[in-house]
Each structure stands twice: as structure tokens, then as C-alpha cells.
Amino acid sequence: MATAQQIRQAYLDYVLTNNEKPKSVYSFSKKIKITEAEFYQFYASFESIEKNIWFDLTFETITKIKEQDVWFQYSAREKMLSFFYSYTENLKNQRSFVIYSLKNYNGKFSTPNVLAGVKPIFENFAEDIINEGLESGELAERKFLSKRYKDALWIQFAFIINFWINDDSDGFEKTDEAIEKGINVTFDLFQHSPIDNLFEYGKFLSRNGRFKERMGF
């Protein structure tokens, strides 16, 4: 009786050797000497295997960094940097699969199907960090916009993975630089800025219109 892990490993071996999916579940099951029923007991399709691998890579990274003693001492910015540094490090163990899994994806604004299971757990993780930053005052509370912060981080997620796939620098140094610059710029935008002060001043003036009239403005 095959296990989910054995089927998953056999699928990985097949696609990385042949650079394509098996022609059918039937042919794949026959090749690894199991029945179709055994395959479907664990996976609904080949895509579901890939989704499972991506989910595990992401979940493992989040679990590992949260177990660090220094995790609760980190700022929101540091937590997100820690995630991406750890995530790309974790992806090295499956680099061939990551490249294969995303090689046919050409969309610019939609999420690849294989990352459909990753997006909700990443966004939940990001939202927890954002909420901590809002509560501590590290991040700016902006009506309507604060709820979109996690979307900006998901865009960074997609950008960083794509950058890492195409990075040919020694030790993926350019990816580390892309993470540092991308996350720092993003969190700079999340923080209070002179524009926030200008906006608050505009609201103050609009609330105190009568005072302006008495002053002769």
C-alpha cells in the first residue's frame, strides 16, 4: 500500500527527470505499481501534489521562524525579512521543483494555480504581523488602505520568488539584496510619513472651518 509521501516523491522524480507531467494518472500509477484508486486516495490530481509541496514549504518556514527565541523581539519589518530570508533558503532544497512548477506560468497579476494553497496561509501570517505593527504604532493606520497591506506583501512574495528563480549570482546574493530592498521599501510605505501628517492637517482644517472664518482666512 503506497503512502502519500511515496506517491509525492515518485511524482517529483518523474517530472524532474522528464521535465513534464505524466500523461495520465493511469500511466503514472502503473509505472509506480499502484492502482488509480490508491493514487486518488491521497491526491485529486497531479496539480494537487504540487500544491501540497508548496504548502508544506511555506508552512514549514513559518513554523520554523516562529520557534526562534528572538522571534517575539522582532519588529514587524524584521519578522517579514526573517520569513523571506528563511523561505528562499528553504526553497534551495527544492529548487529544481520550484523552477519546474512555475516554468509555464506567464500571468502578471493572477496567482499561479499551484500557489493557490499558499496564498491564504501567507496572507494570514502577514496579516498577523501587520496587526502587531499597527497595534505597536510601527505601522500607520490608514482608513481602507491598512487592509490592503497584506496584498502588497503578497506582491512582494510573487516578485521575490520570481527573482530567485532567475538569480544566477553566487549564493543567491542578489536575491538577498532584493529581499532587503523590497521589504524595506514596502514597510517604509506602511509607516507614518509627511504625507500622513499633511492628510491629518487637512482633516483638522476641514473640521475647523468656522475657526478659519473667524481668523479671516
Side-chain angles (χ1 to χ4, degrees):
M1 181 70 174
T3 65
Q5 183 58 36
Q6 287 170 337
I7 294 172
R8 173 168 145 169
Q9 189 57 51
Y11 176 77
L12 271 175
D13 291 341
Y14 185 96
V15 297
L16 297 182
T17 299
N18 298 281
N19 200 34
E20 64 178 5
K21 288 181 173 64
K23 300 301 181 186
S24 67
V25 171
Y26 173 81
S27 64
F28 175 70
S29 298
K30 187 174 181 181
K31 180 177 178 60
I32 65 173
K33 297 180 172 56
I34 65 171
T35 65
E36 279 190 273
E38 287 177 293
F39 178 92
Y40 288 122
Q41 183 177 347
F42 299 104
Y43 300 106
S45 64
F46 295 136
E47 188 175 276
S48 69
I49 298 178
E50 294 188 30
K51 286 180 179 179
N52 181 270
I53 295 171
W54 276 105
F55 180 92
D56 284 352
L57 284 167
T58 309
F59 183 79
E60 287 166 6
T61 301
I62 292 173
T63 300
K64 180 184 282 188
I65 60 176
K66 283 186 173 182
E67 290 174 348
Q68 297 173 350
D69 292 337
V70 295
W71 177 253
F72 294 103
Q73 301 171 27
Y74 282 161
S75 64
R77 183 191 299 251
E78 289 169 333
K79 285 181 177 180
M80 193 52 64
L81 283 168
S82 176
F83 168 79
F84 279 111
Y85 287 137
S86 299
Y87 195 55
T88 52
E89 188 66 28
N90 200 16
L91 291 182
K92 290 178 184 178
N93 298 320
Q94 298 279 5
R95 181 167 171 83
S96 295
F97 164 75
V98 170
I99 293 173
Y100 164 81
S101 186
L102 296 178
K103 70 175 182 177
N104 295 318
Y105 174 68
N106 297 313
K108 293 182 179 180
F109 302 107
S110 59
T111 300
N113 288 338
V114 291
L115 296 183
V118 169
K119 188 175 183 181
I121 63 168
F122 173 81
E123 288 189 337
N124 287 338
F125 169 73
E127 198 162 26
D128 286 343
I129 291 176
I130 290 165
N131 287 337
E132 289 174 13
L134 292 172
E135 289 173 8
S136 69
E138 179 188 350
L139 307 182
E141 181 76 62
R142 297 185 177 103
K143 191 174 183 180
F144 303 121
L145 288 178
S146 299
K147 294 181 179 179
R148 310 297 294 182
Y149 287 172
K150 70 178 186 299
D151 298 329
L153 289 172
W154 176 251
I155 291 172
Q156 280 295 319
F157 179 97
F159 168 77
I160 288 167
I161 293 222
N162 186 61
F163 191 97
W164 179 78
I165 286 174
N166 295 287
D167 186 4
D168 60 359
S169 63
D170 293 342
F172 303 103
E173 292 175 356
K174 289 182 180 178
T175 296
D176 288 343
E177 188 176 354
I179 291 170
E180 180 184 7
K181 292 183 183 301
I183 297 304
N184 280 330
V185 166
T186 301
F187 272 79
D188 284 346
L189 293 173
F190 291 170
Q191 291 182 317
H192 292 278
S193 70
I195 292 177
D196 290 299
N197 295 335
L198 182 61
F199 181 68
E200 289 299 320
Y201 184 55
K203 288 197 297 183
F204 169 79
L205 292 179
S206 68
R207 289 196 302 266
N208 294 276
R210 292 181 181 177
F211 177 77
K212 289 189 297 178
E213 291 171 6
R214 289 199 299 272
M215 292 296 291
F217 293 118

